[in-house]
Amino acid sequence: MPSTNRRSADALRPLVIVAGGQTGVDRAGLAFARAFGLPIAGWCPQGGWAEDLPHPPGVRALFPELVETPDRRPAERTRRNVALADRLVLVWPRGFASPGTALALAHARALGRPVTAVDPTDPAAAAQLAQALGAGGLVNLAGPRESEWPGAEAMAYALLERAWHSRSG
């Protein structure tokens, strides 16, 4: 019987978008998953806290698939989502400062998770993202929140759409 390595086995797994529901890139990932019929998974802070939805049920009113962490710290949500996923995909402009995105990257590296960083201003961004999504499995889609990078949600969503439509040729 032929052997199967992890990479080829992962390619057979359905794509699941993992995100914490914060404004910006997280929210774009969840909205994209919902619009394209992809499963959603992930952790959000206790009470569903997000910067635009600070009161319970918070972001869970929009994405009830999310599970609340035992506390309200966004860093806990970030760590849990990185640990849950097979890999981390960041939509993050080069040189842009985002403490939460930097935490996700550091945690993924500490856990040995593969990381794909996509700069949405790069002309090759859609192709890079299509390749990362095409591998299947649990993909933690993350990046700056809307208050850090105004327009992040719309830009990330548009990039996800281009990547999705380009993946078959």
Side-chain angles (χ1 to χ4, degrees):
M1 176 180 272
S3 65
T4 304
N5 66 29
R6 179 176 164 93
R7 179 176 283 227
S8 62
D10 283 349
L12 300 175
R13 296 176 63 198
L15 175 62
V16 177
I17 299 296
V18 175
Q22 185 55 273
T23 61
V25 176
D26 277 27
R27 194 77 58 84
L30 295 172
F32 164 78
R34 173 86 36 81
F36 287 86
L38 300 171
I40 292 169
W43 293 90
C44 64
Q46 182 183 59
W49 183 86
E51 66 182 1
D52 64 335
L53 298 167
H55 306 291
V59 71
R60 291 195 71 242
L62 302 174
F63 301 100
E65 301 92 338
L66 300 180
V67 177
E68 295 180 31
T69 63
D71 60 53
R72 292 182 58 88
R73 293 179 299 150
E76 180 66 18
R77 168 216 51 221
T78 299
R79 283 191 211 60
R80 286 176 182 243
N81 284 329
V82 170
L84 173 64
D86 299 318
R87 66 188 167 285
L88 175 64
V89 175
L90 298 172
V91 177
W92 191 13
R94 270 185 201 89
F96 190 87
S98 169
T101 307
L103 174 64
L105 177 59
H107 196 54
R109 286 180 174 159
L111 294 175
R113 296 290 192 274
V115 176
T116 300
V118 177
D119 181 344
T121 64
D122 184 332
Q128 293 168 343
L129 189 53
Q131 184 175 6
L133 297 177
L138 281 83
V139 175
N140 182 196
L141 189 64
R145 62 175 66 181
E146 197 72 20
S147 64
E148 295 171 335
W149 179 29
E153 190 170 335
M155 185 177 284
Y157 189 90
L159 180 59
L160 283 160
E161 278 189 317
R162 284 195 315 275
W164 190 253
H165 292 303
S166 73
R167 69 194 160 82
S168 60

